[in-house]
Amino acid sequence: MQNLGIVLYTQGNNKRNLKNCLKSLVNFKDRVIVVCDGALPYIEELEGFETKEYRNTIFASGCYNHGLRHFIKEGVDHFFILNDNVMVMDDKLFDNYIKVNEQTNIGLMASSTESDDPYGKNQNLKLTLELKEEYKLKLSKGFNGYLLYLTRDTIKKVGFFDERYKGAFEGSDYYKRASDRGVTSYFGWFADIEDSSSNIYYQTNRPDFIHPVFNSNTVEDRIIKSMKVFNLKFKTQPQNLFEIYSQKDVVQKLKNLSSR
C-alpha cells in the first residue's frame, strides 16, 4: 500500500454522512485522521480512527492544515483531503491518483463531475489526456473540493491552506497558488483522474441539526469575506481566470511538468 494519509473533514452535524464515509474507509483506518469543525458526534464507526475536534470553529482551511501537519510528522508523501459527504466506492481510487502523479508530476488534483461546471450547463470537462497503463487525466472548468490530492513536495513549494478563508474559496486559493508555483495545471483547467467520479459516491443525507456557523444565515457573509481575501491576494476573482489559457498552453505546461 502506498505511503498515504487521509484527512477526513466533517462539521459534525450529519451522522449518516460521517458513518457511511467512515465505513468506506475502513481498510485505511490507520491512515485516516478525522478533523471535526464543531462537536464530534459519538458513533461506533469512529472506533479505531484518529480524531481531532474543534468545538470553536476554525473553518475548513484550519482543519485541513491540522491534518496535513499530522501526517507530515509521520513521513507521509501522498495526502488526500475528503469531505464527509464522500463515500469511496473502490480502494483503488487512492492508488490511481498516486499513479497519475507519478506519470505526470502533477502535485495537486481535485475531484470533479459534470455538475461542477461553473457556468451551470453540466459541461465541465474541457480535455482528456491518455497516459500510460490506460490511466487518463481529465481537465475541467470547475471542481467541487470534496476530494483533494496533494503531495509532500506540493506542500513544500506552496505551503499550507490560507486560514483567512471562512468556508469558501480555500480550495480555489490553493489551486491558484499551486498553479503559479508550477506544480499543477493552469487555473481554470483543473486536473483530476478520469475515473474519480465513478469511484466516488456523493451523499445527499440531510444534516441532523443546523450548524451554528455553517448555515444559510451566514453563507453570504462568509462568501463575501472569502472573495475579499482572494481579490486582495490575486487582484481578481476566480471567475475572471477561467478563460485565460488555451488548450495549447495547458498541454505545453503538462509536458513541461511530466518531463521533470
PDB file of all heavy atoms in Angstrom, residues 47-79:
ATOM      1  N   GLU A  47     -14.679   4.299  16.128  1.00  0.00           N
ATOM      2  CA  GLU A  47     -13.751   3.491  16.915  1.00  0.00           C
ATOM      3  C   GLU A  47     -12.539   3.077  16.085  1.00  0.00           C
ATOM      4  O   GLU A  47     -12.659   2.529  14.993  1.00  0.00           O
ATOM      5  CB  GLU A  47     -14.447   2.243  17.451  1.00  0.00           C
ATOM      6  CG  GLU A  47     -13.580   1.422  18.387  1.00  0.00           C
ATOM      7  CD  GLU A  47     -14.313   0.231  18.983  1.00  0.00           C
ATOM      8  OE1 GLU A  47     -15.545   0.142  18.820  1.00  0.00           O
ATOM      9  OE2 GLU A  47     -13.639  -0.603  19.604  1.00  0.00           O
ATOM     10  N   GLY A  48     -11.364   3.365  16.607  1.00  0.00           N
ATOM     11  CA  GLY A  48     -10.125   2.986  15.928  1.00  0.00           C
ATOM     12  C   GLY A  48      -9.567   4.063  15.024  1.00  0.00           C
ATOM     13  O   GLY A  48      -8.427   3.948  14.554  1.00  0.00           O
ATOM     14  N   PHE A  49     -10.338   5.128  14.773  1.00  0.00           N
ATOM     15  CA  PHE A  49      -9.864   6.226  13.938  1.00  0.00           C
ATOM     16  C   PHE A  49      -9.237   7.313  14.813  1.00  0.00           C
ATOM     17  O   PHE A  49      -9.739   7.621  15.901  1.00  0.00           O
ATOM     18  CB  PHE A  49     -11.017   6.848  13.140  1.00  0.00           C
ATOM     19  CG  PHE A  49     -11.452   6.052  11.939  1.00  0.00           C
ATOM     20  CD1 PHE A  49     -12.502   5.137  12.044  1.00  0.00           C
ATOM     21  CD2 PHE A  49     -10.838   6.221  10.711  1.00  0.00           C
ATOM     22  CE1 PHE A  49     -12.925   4.413  10.939  1.00  0.00           C
ATOM     23  CE2 PHE A  49     -11.254   5.497   9.607  1.00  0.00           C
ATOM     24  CZ  PHE A  49     -12.298   4.590   9.711  1.00  0.00           C
ATOM     25  N   GLU A  50      -8.165   7.906  14.318  1.00  0.00           N
ATOM     26  CA  GLU A  50      -7.581   9.093  14.954  1.00  0.00           C
ATOM     27  C   GLU A  50      -8.556  10.257  14.746  1.00  0.00           C
ATOM     28  O   GLU A  50      -9.098  10.450  13.655  1.00  0.00           O
ATOM     29  CB  GLU A  50      -6.241   9.431  14.300  1.00  0.00           C
ATOM     30  CG  GLU A  50      -5.545  10.643  14.859  1.00  0.00           C
ATOM     31  CD  GLU A  50      -4.617  10.312  16.012  1.00  0.00           C
ATOM     32  OE1 GLU A  50      -4.264   9.123  16.157  1.00  0.00           O
ATOM     33  OE2 GLU A  50      -4.260  11.248  16.749  1.00  0.00           O
ATOM     34  N   THR A  51      -8.783  11.065  15.799  1.00  0.00           N
ATOM     35  CA  THR A  51      -9.733  12.172  15.680  1.00  0.00           C
ATOM     36  C   THR A  51      -9.152  13.452  16.295  1.00  0.00           C
ATOM     37  O   THR A  51      -8.288  13.403  17.169  1.00  0.00           O
ATOM     38  CB  THR A  51     -11.070  11.865  16.386  1.00  0.00           C
ATOM     39  OG1 THR A  51     -10.847  11.693  17.790  1.00  0.00           O
ATOM     40  CG2 THR A  51     -11.727  10.632  15.810  1.00  0.00           C
ATOM     41  N   LYS A  52      -9.672  14.572  15.810  1.00  0.00           N
ATOM     42  CA  LYS A  52      -9.369  15.889  16.377  1.00  0.00           C
ATOM     43  C   LYS A  52     -10.642  16.722  16.304  1.00  0.00           C
ATOM     44  O   LYS A  52     -11.260  16.822  15.243  1.00  0.00           O
ATOM     45  CB  LYS A  52      -8.239  16.572  15.615  1.00  0.00           C
ATOM     46  CG  LYS A  52      -7.949  17.998  16.064  1.00  0.00           C
ATOM     47  CD  LYS A  52      -7.437  18.064  17.502  1.00  0.00           C
ATOM     48  CE  LYS A  52      -7.109  19.493  17.904  1.00  0.00           C
ATOM     49  NZ  LYS A  52      -6.607  19.585  19.309  1.00  0.00           N
ATOM     50  N   GLU A  53     -11.028  17.324  17.426  1.00  0.00           N
ATOM     51  CA  GLU A  53     -12.275  18.074  17.495  1.00  0.00           C
ATOM     52  C   GLU A  53     -11.990  19.544  17.795  1.00  0.00           C
ATOM     53  O   GLU A  53     -11.222  19.868  18.706  1.00  0.00           O
ATOM     54  CB  GLU A  53     -13.161  17.478  18.591  1.00  0.00           C
ATOM     55  CG  GLU A  53     -14.476  18.198  18.815  1.00  0.00           C
ATOM     56  CD  GLU A  53     -15.235  17.605  19.999  1.00  0.00           C
ATOM     57  OE1 GLU A  53     -14.670  17.626  21.122  1.00  0.00           O
ATOM     58  OE2 GLU A  53     -16.358  17.133  19.804  1.00  0.00           O
ATOM     59  N   TYR A  54     -12.594  20.419  17.005  1.00  0.00           N
ATOM     60  CA  TYR A  54     -12.538  21.866  17.259  1.00  0.00           C
ATOM     61  C   TYR A  54     -13.957  22.349  17.538  1.00  0.00           C
ATOM     62  O   TYR A  54     -14.725  22.635  16.616  1.00  0.00           O
ATOM     63  CB  TYR A  54     -11.952  22.617  16.057  1.00  0.00           C
ATOM     64  CG  TYR A  54     -10.477  22.411  15.861  1.00  0.00           C
ATOM     65  CD1 TYR A  54     -10.000  21.524  14.888  1.00  0.00           C
ATOM     66  CD2 TYR A  54      -9.545  23.098  16.635  1.00  0.00           C
ATOM     67  CE1 TYR A  54      -8.640  21.337  14.706  1.00  0.00           C
ATOM     68  CE2 TYR A  54      -8.179  22.901  16.453  1.00  0.00           C
ATOM     69  CZ  TYR A  54      -7.742  22.029  15.482  1.00  0.00           C
ATOM     70  OH  TYR A  54      -6.392  21.840  15.301  1.00  0.00           O
ATOM     71  N   ARG A  55     -14.315  22.429  18.806  1.00  0.00           N
ATOM     72  CA  ARG A  55     -15.677  22.875  19.142  1.00  0.00           C
ATOM     73  C   ARG A  55     -15.891  24.347  18.793  1.00  0.00           C
ATOM     74  O   ARG A  55     -16.999  24.754  18.475  1.00  0.00           O
ATOM     75  CB  ARG A  55     -15.971  22.624  20.615  1.00  0.00           C
ATOM     76  CG  ARG A  55     -16.165  21.135  20.907  1.00  0.00           C
ATOM     77  CD  ARG A  55     -16.658  20.865  22.310  1.00  0.00           C
ATOM     78  NE  ARG A  55     -16.949  19.435  22.461  1.00  0.00           N
ATOM     79  CZ  ARG A  55     -18.164  18.943  22.653  1.00  0.00           C
ATOM     80  NH1 ARG A  55     -19.201  19.748  22.710  1.00  0.00           N
ATOM     81  NH2 ARG A  55     -18.346  17.649  22.794  1.00  0.00           N
ATOM     82  N   ASN A  56     -14.827  25.135  18.870  1.00  0.00           N
ATOM     83  CA  ASN A  56     -14.879  26.509  18.375  1.00  0.00           C
ATOM     84  C   ASN A  56     -14.361  26.492  16.942  1.00  0.00           C
ATOM     85  O   ASN A  56     -13.177  26.285  16.705  1.00  0.00           O
ATOM     86  CB  ASN A  56     -14.026  27.438  19.241  1.00  0.00           C
ATOM     87  CG  ASN A  56     -14.574  27.567  20.649  1.00  0.00           C
ATOM     88  OD1 ASN A  56     -15.785  27.634  20.846  1.00  0.00           O
ATOM     89  ND2 ASN A  56     -13.691  27.592  21.636  1.00  0.00           N
ATOM     90  N   THR A  57     -15.253  26.687  16.008  1.00  0.00           N
ATOM     91  CA  THR A  57     -14.961  26.502  14.589  1.00  0.00           C
ATOM     92  C   THR A  57     -13.704  27.242  14.139  1.00  0.00           C
ATOM     93  O   THR A  57     -13.524  28.421  14.424  1.00  0.00           O
ATOM     94  CB  THR A  57     -16.166  26.983  13.752  1.00  0.00           C
ATOM     95  OG1 THR A  57     -17.315  26.217  14.105  1.00  0.00           O
ATOM     96  CG2 THR A  57     -15.896  26.811  12.273  1.00  0.00           C
ATOM     97  N   ILE A  58     -12.836  26.530  13.406  1.00  0.00           N
ATOM     98  CA  ILE A  58     -11.657  27.165  12.813  1.00  0.00           C
ATOM     99  C   ILE A  58     -11.736  27.146  11.284  1.00  0.00           C
ATOM    100  O   ILE A  58     -10.793  27.543  10.614  1.00  0.00           O
ATOM    101  CB  ILE A  58     -10.351  26.492  13.282  1.00  0.00           C
ATOM    102  CG1 ILE A  58     -10.263  25.042  12.803  1.00  0.00           C
ATOM    103  CG2 ILE A  58     -10.221  26.570  14.787  1.00  0.00           C
ATOM    104  CD1 ILE A  58      -8.886  24.436  13.010  1.00  0.00           C
ATOM    105  N   PHE A  59     -12.842  26.662  10.735  1.00  0.00           N
ATOM    106  CA  PHE A  59     -13.104  26.615   9.297  1.00  0.00           C
ATOM    107  C   PHE A  59     -12.251  25.553   8.611  1.00  0.00           C
ATOM    108  O   PHE A  59     -11.283  25.046   9.169  1.00  0.00           O
ATOM    109  CB  PHE A  59     -12.933  27.992   8.648  1.00  0.00           C
ATOM    110  CG  PHE A  59     -13.878  29.015   9.212  1.00  0.00           C
ATOM    111  CD1 PHE A  59     -13.460  29.903  10.190  1.00  0.00           C
ATOM    112  CD2 PHE A  59     -15.199  29.060   8.788  1.00  0.00           C
ATOM    113  CE1 PHE A  59     -14.330  30.836  10.733  1.00  0.00           C
ATOM    114  CE2 PHE A  59     -16.085  29.984   9.335  1.00  0.00           C
ATOM    115  CZ  PHE A  59     -15.653  30.870  10.297  1.00  0.00           C
ATOM    116  N   ALA A  60     -12.635  25.249   7.362  1.00  0.00           N
ATOM    117  CA  ALA A  60     -12.059  24.112   6.657  1.00  0.00           C
ATOM    118  C   ALA A  60     -10.543  24.211   6.524  1.00  0.00           C
ATOM    119  O   ALA A  60      -9.824  23.234   6.740  1.00  0.00           O
ATOM    120  CB  ALA A  60     -12.702  23.987   5.274  1.00  0.00           C
ATOM    121  N   SER A  61     -10.043  25.396   6.168  1.00  0.00           N
ATOM    122  CA  SER A  61      -8.604  25.528   5.921  1.00  0.00           C
ATOM    123  C   SER A  61      -7.782  25.183   7.161  1.00  0.00           C
ATOM    124  O   SER A  61      -6.737  24.516   7.058  1.00  0.00           O
ATOM    125  CB  SER A  61      -8.276  26.943   5.444  1.00  0.00           C
ATOM    126  OG  SER A  61      -8.831  27.911   6.313  1.00  0.00           O
ATOM    127  N   GLY A  62      -8.239  25.604   8.346  1.00  0.00           N
ATOM    128  CA  GLY A  62      -7.535  25.271   9.574  1.00  0.00           C
ATOM    129  C   GLY A  62      -7.568  23.780   9.861  1.00  0.00           C
ATOM    130  O   GLY A  62      -6.577  23.201  10.332  1.00  0.00           O
ATOM    131  N   CYS A  63      -8.703  23.156   9.586  1.00  0.00           N
ATOM    132  CA  CYS A  63      -8.830  21.709   9.787  1.00  0.00           C
ATOM    133  C   CYS A  63      -7.936  20.944   8.814  1.00  0.00           C
ATOM    134  O   CYS A  63      -7.280  19.964   9.190  1.00  0.00           O
ATOM    135  CB  CYS A  63     -10.284  21.281   9.620  1.00  0.00           C
ATOM    136  SG  CYS A  63     -11.384  21.886  10.919  1.00  0.00           S
ATOM    137  N   TYR A  64      -7.926  21.380   7.549  1.00  0.00           N
ATOM    138  CA  TYR A  64      -7.044  20.747   6.572  1.00  0.00           C
ATOM    139  C   TYR A  64      -5.592  20.811   7.048  1.00  0.00           C
ATOM    140  O   TYR A  64      -4.859  19.815   6.991  1.00  0.00           O
ATOM    141  CB  TYR A  64      -7.131  21.444   5.216  1.00  0.00           C
ATOM    142  CG  TYR A  64      -8.461  21.417   4.520  1.00  0.00           C
ATOM    143  CD1 TYR A  64      -8.689  22.200   3.397  1.00  0.00           C
ATOM    144  CD2 TYR A  64      -9.510  20.613   4.962  1.00  0.00           C
ATOM    145  CE1 TYR A  64      -9.893  22.186   2.730  1.00  0.00           C
ATOM    146  CE2 TYR A  64     -10.731  20.601   4.307  1.00  0.00           C
ATOM    147  CZ  TYR A  64     -10.919  21.395   3.181  1.00  0.00           C
ATOM    148  OH  TYR A  64     -12.116  21.401   2.527  1.00  0.00           O
ATOM    149  N   ASN A  65      -5.188  21.991   7.512  1.00  0.00           N
ATOM    150  CA  ASN A  65      -3.801  22.179   7.915  1.00  0.00           C
ATOM    151  C   ASN A  65      -3.432  21.299   9.101  1.00  0.00           C
ATOM    152  O   ASN A  65      -2.320  20.767   9.170  1.00  0.00           O
ATOM    153  CB  ASN A  65      -3.550  23.651   8.256  1.00  0.00           C
ATOM    154  CG  ASN A  65      -3.529  24.534   7.020  1.00  0.00           C
ATOM    155  OD1 ASN A  65      -3.360  24.057   5.901  1.00  0.00           O
ATOM    156  ND2 ASN A  65      -3.708  25.828   7.225  1.00  0.00           N
ATOM    157  N   HIS A  66      -4.357  21.139  10.037  1.00  0.00           N
ATOM    158  CA  HIS A  66      -4.083  20.253  11.175  1.00  0.00           C
ATOM    159  C   HIS A  66      -3.815  18.840  10.677  1.00  0.00           C
ATOM    160  O   HIS A  66      -2.854  18.187  11.114  1.00  0.00           O
ATOM    161  CB  HIS A  66      -5.252  20.236  12.156  1.00  0.00           C
ATOM    162  CG  HIS A  66      -5.049  19.260  13.278  1.00  0.00           C
ATOM    163  ND1 HIS A  66      -4.362  19.574  14.434  1.00  0.00           N
ATOM    164  CD2 HIS A  66      -5.407  17.942  13.405  1.00  0.00           C
ATOM    165  CE1 HIS A  66      -4.309  18.509  15.216  1.00  0.00           C
ATOM    166  NE2 HIS A  66      -4.939  17.505  14.616  1.00  0.00           N
ATOM    167  N   GLY A  67      -4.661  18.357   9.784  1.00  0.00           N
ATOM    168  CA  GLY A  67      -4.491  17.002   9.268  1.00  0.00           C
ATOM    169  C   GLY A  67      -3.211  16.839   8.478  1.00  0.00           C
ATOM    170  O   GLY A  67      -2.503  15.826   8.618  1.00  0.00           O
ATOM    171  N   LEU A  68      -2.885  17.828   7.659  1.00  0.00           N
ATOM    172  CA  LEU A  68      -1.654  17.750   6.870  1.00  0.00           C
ATOM    173  C   LEU A  68      -0.428  17.721   7.768  1.00  0.00           C
ATOM    174  O   LEU A  68       0.502  16.932   7.553  1.00  0.00           O
ATOM    175  CB  LEU A  68      -1.575  18.935   5.909  1.00  0.00           C
ATOM    176  CG  LEU A  68      -2.634  18.977   4.791  1.00  0.00           C
ATOM    177  CD1 LEU A  68      -2.499  20.264   3.987  1.00  0.00           C
ATOM    178  CD2 LEU A  68      -2.532  17.760   3.878  1.00  0.00           C
ATOM    179  N   ARG A  69      -0.411  18.572   8.783  1.00  0.00           N
ATOM    180  CA  ARG A  69       0.740  18.595   9.696  1.00  0.00           C
ATOM    181  C   ARG A  69       0.868  17.279  10.459  1.00  0.00           C
ATOM    182  O   ARG A  69       1.984  16.811  10.734  1.00  0.00           O
ATOM    183  CB  ARG A  69       0.609  19.773  10.664  1.00  0.00           C
ATOM    184  CG  ARG A  69       0.814  21.132  10.001  1.00  0.00           C
ATOM    185  CD  ARG A  69       0.859  22.255  11.026  1.00  0.00           C
ATOM    186  NE  ARG A  69       1.217  23.525  10.396  1.00  0.00           N
ATOM    187  CZ  ARG A  69       0.344  24.478  10.065  1.00  0.00           C
ATOM    188  NH1 ARG A  69      -0.939  24.309  10.336  1.00  0.00           N
ATOM    189  NH2 ARG A  69       0.754  25.597   9.489  1.00  0.00           N
ATOM    190  N   HIS A  70      -0.270  16.693  10.808  1.00  0.00           N
ATOM    191  CA  HIS A  70      -0.270  15.401  11.494  1.00  0.00           C
ATOM    192  C   HIS A  70       0.448  14.352  10.655  1.00  0.00           C
ATOM    193  O   HIS A  70       1.301  13.600  11.172  1.00  0.00           O
ATOM    194  CB  HIS A  70      -1.715  14.973  11.758  1.00  0.00           C
ATOM    195  CG  HIS A  70      -1.871  13.551  12.203  1.00  0.00           C
ATOM    196  ND1 HIS A  70      -1.667  13.160  13.510  1.00  0.00           N
ATOM    197  CD2 HIS A  70      -2.204  12.425  11.511  1.00  0.00           C
ATOM    198  CE1 HIS A  70      -1.873  11.845  13.612  1.00  0.00           C
ATOM    199  NE2 HIS A  70      -2.188  11.378  12.413  1.00  0.00           N
ATOM    200  N   PHE A  71       0.153  14.292   9.358  1.00  0.00           N
ATOM    201  CA  PHE A  71       0.744  13.265   8.510  1.00  0.00           C
ATOM    202  C   PHE A  71       2.156  13.615   8.068  1.00  0.00           C
ATOM    203  O   PHE A  71       2.966  12.716   7.808  1.00  0.00           O
ATOM    204  CB  PHE A  71      -0.157  13.001   7.298  1.00  0.00           C
ATOM    205  CG  PHE A  71      -1.392  12.202   7.641  1.00  0.00           C
ATOM    206  CD1 PHE A  71      -2.659  12.716   7.430  1.00  0.00           C
ATOM    207  CD2 PHE A  71      -1.286  10.929   8.184  1.00  0.00           C
ATOM    208  CE1 PHE A  71      -3.791  11.989   7.752  1.00  0.00           C
ATOM    209  CE2 PHE A  71      -2.409  10.185   8.512  1.00  0.00           C
ATOM    210  CZ  PHE A  71      -3.671  10.719   8.295  1.00  0.00           C
ATOM    211  N   ILE A  72       2.461  14.897   7.979  1.00  0.00           N
ATOM    212  CA  ILE A  72       3.841  15.281   7.668  1.00  0.00           C
ATOM    213  C   ILE A  72       4.780  14.751   8.737  1.00  0.00           C
ATOM    214  O   ILE A  72       5.868  14.235   8.440  1.00  0.00           O
ATOM    215  CB  ILE A  72       3.956  16.814   7.537  1.00  0.00           C
ATOM    216  CG1 ILE A  72       3.345  17.274   6.213  1.00  0.00           C
ATOM    217  CG2 ILE A  72       5.414  17.268   7.628  1.00  0.00           C
ATOM    218  CD1 ILE A  72       3.267  18.776   6.063  1.00  0.00           C
ATOM    219  N   LYS A  73       4.370  14.858  10.005  1.00  0.00           N
ATOM    220  CA  LYS A  73       5.189  14.344  11.112  1.00  0.00           C
ATOM    221  C   LYS A  73       5.389  12.837  11.004  1.00  0.00           C
ATOM    222  O   LYS A  73       6.393  12.302  11.498  1.00  0.00           O
ATOM    223  CB  LYS A  73       4.534  14.683  12.446  1.00  0.00           C
ATOM    224  CG  LYS A  73       4.549  16.170  12.789  1.00  0.00           C
ATOM    225  CD  LYS A  73       3.838  16.426  14.107  1.00  0.00           C
ATOM    226  CE  LYS A  73       3.821  17.903  14.442  1.00  0.00           C
ATOM    227  NZ  LYS A  73       3.064  18.169  15.709  1.00  0.00           N
ATOM    228  N   GLU A  74       4.449  12.165  10.353  1.00  0.00           N
ATOM    229  CA  GLU A  74       4.549  10.712  10.213  1.00  0.00           C
ATOM    230  C   GLU A  74       5.262  10.295   8.933  1.00  0.00           C
ATOM    231  O   GLU A  74       5.329   9.109   8.621  1.00  0.00           O
ATOM    232  CB  GLU A  74       3.141  10.102  10.269  1.00  0.00           C
ATOM    233  CG  GLU A  74       2.440  10.346  11.594  1.00  0.00           C
ATOM    234  CD  GLU A  74       1.312   9.366  11.857  1.00  0.00           C
ATOM    235  OE1 GLU A  74       0.975   8.586  10.942  1.00  0.00           O
ATOM    236  OE2 GLU A  74       0.794   9.380  12.986  1.00  0.00           O
ATOM    237  N   GLY A  75       5.769  11.282   8.181  1.00  0.00           N
ATOM    238  CA  GLY A  75       6.555  10.967   6.996  1.00  0.00           C
ATOM    239  C   GLY A  75       5.750  10.611   5.769  1.00  0.00           C
ATOM    240  O   GLY A  75       6.272   9.979   4.839  1.00  0.00           O
ATOM    241  N   VAL A  76       4.484  11.001   5.729  1.00  0.00           N
ATOM    242  CA  VAL A  76       3.620  10.678   4.590  1.00  0.00           C
ATOM    243  C   VAL A  76       4.019  11.487   3.359  1.00  0.00           C
ATOM    244  O   VAL A  76       4.423  12.656   3.469  1.00  0.00           O
ATOM    245  CB  VAL A  76       2.145  10.951   4.965  1.00  0.00           C
ATOM    246  CG1 VAL A  76       1.241  10.952   3.739  1.00  0.00           C
ATOM    247  CG2 VAL A  76       1.667   9.914   5.975  1.00  0.00           C
ATOM    248  N   ASP A  77       3.911  10.892   2.178  1.00  0.00           N
ATOM    249  CA  ASP A  77       4.257  11.547   0.915  1.00  0.00           C
ATOM    250  C   ASP A  77       3.035  11.953   0.092  1.00  0.00           C
ATOM    251  O   ASP A  77       3.111  12.883  -0.709  1.00  0.00           O
ATOM    252  CB  ASP A  77       5.126  10.630   0.058  1.00  0.00           C
ATOM    253  CG  ASP A  77       6.488  10.386   0.687  1.00  0.00           C
ATOM    254  OD1 ASP A  77       7.076  11.343   1.221  1.00  0.00           O
ATOM    255  OD2 ASP A  77       6.956   9.228   0.652  1.00  0.00           O
ATOM    256  N   HIS A  78       1.917  11.240   0.269  1.00  0.00           N
ATOM    257  CA  HIS A  78       0.726  11.489  -0.535  1.00  0.00           C
ATOM    258  C   HIS A  78      -0.454  11.776   0.393  1.00  0.00           C
ATOM    259  O   HIS A  78      -0.772  10.967   1.276  1.00  0.00           O
ATOM    260  CB  HIS A  78       0.406  10.285  -1.421  1.00  0.00           C
ATOM    261  CG  HIS A  78       1.533   9.925  -2.353  1.00  0.00           C
ATOM    262  ND1 HIS A  78       1.731  10.563  -3.555  1.00  0.00           N
ATOM    263  CD2 HIS A  78       2.529   9.001  -2.233  1.00  0.00           C
ATOM    264  CE1 HIS A  78       2.793  10.050  -4.153  1.00  0.00           C
ATOM    265  NE2 HIS A  78       3.286   9.095  -3.374  1.00  0.00           N
ATOM    266  N   PHE A  79      -1.114  12.915   0.171  1.00  0.00           N
ATOM    267  CA  PHE A  79      -2.163  13.386   1.070  1.00  0.00           C
ATOM    268  C   PHE A  79      -3.493  13.490   0.327  1.00  0.00           C
ATOM    269  O   PHE A  79      -3.550  13.980  -0.810  1.00  0.00           O
ATOM    270  CB  PHE A  79      -1.813  14.770   1.633  1.00  0.00           C
ATOM    271  CG  PHE A  79      -0.483  14.836   2.321  1.00  0.00           C
ATOM    272  CD1 PHE A  79       0.684  14.976   1.592  1.00  0.00           C
ATOM    273  CD2 PHE A  79      -0.396  14.757   3.704  1.00  0.00           C
ATOM    274  CE1 PHE A  79       1.922  15.044   2.214  1.00  0.00           C
ATOM    275  CE2 PHE A  79       0.832  14.821   4.344  1.00  0.00           C
ATOM    276  CZ  PHE A  79       1.995  14.958   3.595  1.00  0.00           C
TER     277      PHE A  79
END
